[in-house]
Amino acid sequence: MICSIISIGTELNLGLILDMNSGYIADRVTDLGIECRYMFTVGDNISDIASVLRQSLKCSDLIIMNGGLGPTDDDVTRNAVARSLNLNLVRDKSLDETSIIFIRDTKKKEIIERLLRQSYIPENSFPIKPRLGSASGFRIIPEKGKVIICIPGVPKEMKNMFKEDVIPFLKDMVVEDSLKKSGVIIRKSTLLTTDISESEIEERIKEVAGVARKINVKIGVTADPGLIKIILVAKAPDNISAGRNLKIIEKEVLSRLGNYFYGKDDTLISDNLKETIRKANGKLTISTAESMTGGLISSIITDTPDSSEFFLGGIVSYSISSKVNLLDIKENDIEEFGAVSEEICLEMAKKVKEIFNSDYSLSVTGYAGPETENKKVGLVFCGIMGPDGYKKIFKKVFPGSRLEIKFRTAQFILNELRLAINEKILGGKR
């Protein structure tokens, strides 16, 4: 089953906001075994939307459209669908309640009529009543073997309607389709790595690629600063074969990644850290002293639910005075070694560990750039201190922009902390 995704909004075409909806939808339909081959972004123009829809109907079985379903003049998706299918728009009164849900004290006829635009859908279509917001969706089967689904573009409204209404429908449709014909089932997995380059990953797994091709598993590598994703996509006639082949290749790839691998799919590096701590009976605590990263490490840690179970707090000692006054580091030491040095990094970890009385502490100091000509942009010192005198200092030189260097640093030291706990407390291998 082939899918096209159409995101609608002039603000997308102008680059004012990023189209995150298409990625979300594609990820979910792939999980259902539906192959997304095409993505379109169209401005708020009836003719353009209708043209793209007609084009999509020629090459896809399923078209999912998002955006342009509100009550304003530029919300023209329902009109475009009706035009492309030569249908009339009809009012579905079952949608009236949600269409005017946000109306307040006004009884002004013009405002009510404007809001009720959201109750109009193409004739012969099935309404999808919103649980969030006022914009209704709809689905329609214009011809045998073709389905068009229209949902709102506001991300939280889109995700809610997609989860609650669209996915159950698609699941039934996939089952029905597989009973009618021998189709292709798609299974995917995303492996997350840090502190390793895209080229090095490709070199490590080059022998796996040949094996993967033989069993119809595609390997893709995508790069973001501090985070390289290895995407595995398996295609097979049935779910069992697709899952089995995916696991075969996943195992082969992981055996070559070592400690650079930290998680799968949507997991954060701090999620993995939390699980490592829980395996150690969940009694370990962590504190942070950050200079260059400005609190980013603490922010990533607290993006994980229940991080309060192990994260006691952090100190952003960005300036020299804050290092002296908050961490009680001697000015003479800073003058002698420099604020960006192994010695000061170690002192930062030592002092914050004492302040919070934590089992482990992290420290970071470096140059994120742009800096003066005598300072090396990307030079970073990262420290870890732990129980029984455990201490480790890393000297790294990270490439990239200021934000990229900060993120690479945070990813690196959190992964190293995970490995340190695994090694010392759980007796695992690094």
Side-chain angles (χ1 to χ4, degrees):
M1 185 178 296
I2 307 302
C3 174
S4 286
I5 298 171
I6 304 175
S7 292
I8 296 156
T10 300
E11 67 277 9
L12 299 174
N13 281 14
L14 294 177
L16 298 176
I17 63 172
L18 295 176
D19 176 22
M20 307 297 286
N21 288 0
S22 291
Y24 174 88
I25 295 169
D27 186 49
R28 270 61 187 178
V29 299
T30 302
D31 286 339
L32 297 174
I34 299 170
E35 183 177 5
C36 178
R37 286 193 188 172
Y38 309 98
M39 289 184 182
F40 302 92
T41 305
V42 193
D44 299 306
N45 180 280
I46 293 178
S47 297
D48 291 345
I49 298 170
S51 176
V52 170
L53 177 55
R54 285 192 289 264
Q55 181 181 343
S56 298
L57 284 168
K58 294 176 182 178
C59 60
S60 305
D61 310 301
L62 170 66
I63 297 95
I64 300 176
M65 308 174 70
N66 71 95
L69 294 175
T72 61
D73 291 338
D74 61 353
D75 289 314
V76 294
T77 298
R78 57 178 67 84
N79 306 76
V81 174
R83 176 183 292 189
S84 65
L85 300 178
N86 295 315
L87 298 173
N88 295 317
L89 286 175
V90 295
R91 181 177 171 185
D92 189 316
K93 293 187 177 181
S94 71
L95 300 173
D96 286 357
E97 182 181 358
T98 52
S99 293
I100 60 174
I101 192 172
F102 294 122
I103 199 166
R104 302 197 180 183
D105 296 331
T106 181
K107 301 292 184 180
K108 199 170 182 181
K109 181 181 177 182
E110 290 82 2
I111 293 179
I112 294 174
E113 288 180 350
R114 180 178 293 274
L115 292 172
L116 286 175
R117 292 178 184 179
Q118 299 170 113
S119 295
Y120 284 82
I121 57 178
E123 56 186 337
N124 303 321
S125 59
F126 180 87
I128 305 176
K129 195 171 184 177
R131 293 172 177 80
L132 296 178
S134 61
S136 56
F138 59 89
R139 68 173 187 262
I140 186 169
I141 301 175
E143 58 184 270
K144 187 176 181 180
K146 303 286 183 177
V147 179
I148 300 170
I149 299 176
C150 294
I151 54 180
V154 178
K156 65 178 182 180
E157 296 176 21
M158 180 276 295
K159 291 178 180 178
N160 181 269
M161 187 174 288
F162 196 85
K163 177 182 176 182
E164 299 295 334
D165 298 283
V166 177
I167 286 182
F169 172 77
L170 292 180
K171 284 182 177 179
D172 291 340
M173 189 173 73
V174 168
V175 170
E176 184 179 351
D177 183 68
S178 63
L179 290 174
K180 291 179 179 178
K181 60 183 180 180
S182 178
V184 174
I185 296 297
I186 300 174
R187 294 285 300 277
K188 65 181 176 62
S189 175
T190 302
L191 310 179
L192 308 176
T193 70
T194 191
D195 197 37
I196 186 173
S197 70
E198 189 176 7
S199 298
E200 187 177 353
I201 287 176
E202 289 184 338
E203 180 64 24
R204 283 173 174 251
I205 66 173
K206 62 182 180 180
E207 294 179 0
V208 183
V211 178
R213 281 192 294 270
K214 291 179 181 178
I215 57 175
N216 206 16
V217 178
K218 185 177 180 180
I219 303 176
V221 182
T222 63
D224 287 317
L227 172 59
I228 306 293
K229 297 180 181 180
I230 304 170
I231 302 171
L232 309 178
V233 180
K235 295 182 181 180
D238 58 83
N239 197 49
I240 294 176
S241 299
R244 181 186 65 242
N245 293 342
L246 187 66
K247 286 183 179 179
I248 290 172
I249 300 305
E250 186 177 289
K251 183 178 179 181
E252 290 294 323
V253 170
L254 289 177
S255 69
R256 290 161 171 79
L257 290 179
N259 293 327
Y260 298 113
F261 167 76
Y262 70 83
K264 291 178 61 176
D265 300 325
D266 296 325
T267 60
L268 301 173
I269 198 163
S270 48
D271 294 336
N272 201 288
L273 174 62
K274 181 182 77 172
E275 290 308 309
T276 301
I277 291 173
R278 283 184 171 176
K279 289 177 183 176
N281 297 321
K283 296 179 180 179
L284 298 179
T285 55
I286 298 168
S287 60
T288 61
E290 302 182 59
S291 181
M292 181 201 71
T293 47
L296 179 60
I297 296 171
S298 299
S299 177
I300 291 175
I301 291 174
T302 54
D303 283 341
T304 292
D306 300 323
S307 54
S308 59
E309 294 176 0
F310 60 89
F311 182 57
L312 299 183
I315 293 176
V316 180
S317 53
Y318 199 73
S319 64
I320 289 177
S321 62
S322 65
K323 290 178 177 66
V324 173
N325 297 324
L326 298 179
L327 292 176
D328 195 27
I329 295 175
K330 297 177 181 178
E331 284 189 77
N332 291 340
D333 289 342
I334 295 177
E335 291 176 3
E336 179 180 356
F337 302 111
V340 179
S341 63
E342 179 178 327
E343 290 81 3
I344 296 304
C345 184
L346 191 61
E347 273 297 294
M348 289 170 64
K350 177 183 175 183
K351 295 294 186 178
V352 80
K353 187 174 185 295
E354 291 172 354
I355 290 170
F356 285 97
N357 193 27
S358 60
D359 296 302
Y360 281 88
S361 63
L362 301 179
S363 61
V364 169
T365 182
Y367 302 120
E371 300 286 352
T372 62
E373 57 190 32
N374 295 324
K375 296 176 181 178
K376 190 171 183 180
V377 173
L379 173 63
V380 178
F381 289 94
C382 305
I384 301 176
M385 294 200 75
D388 305 321
Y390 180 92
K391 62 181 179 181
K392 199 160 188 177
I393 295 290
F394 304 90
K395 180 182 179 181
K396 303 288 291 185
V397 179
F398 291 116
S401 67
R402 184 178 182 86
L403 294 180
E404 290 170 352
I405 291 169
K406 290 171 65 176
F407 184 71
R408 289 180 193 274
T409 301
Q411 287 280 104
F412 169 78
I413 195 59
L414 286 171
N415 191 50
E416 287 296 329
L417 175 60
R418 176 184 69 86
L419 295 173
I421 295 173
N422 188 61
E423 178 186 26
K424 187 168 181 65
I425 304 298
L426 301 177
K429 297 180 180 180
R430 285 186 61 84

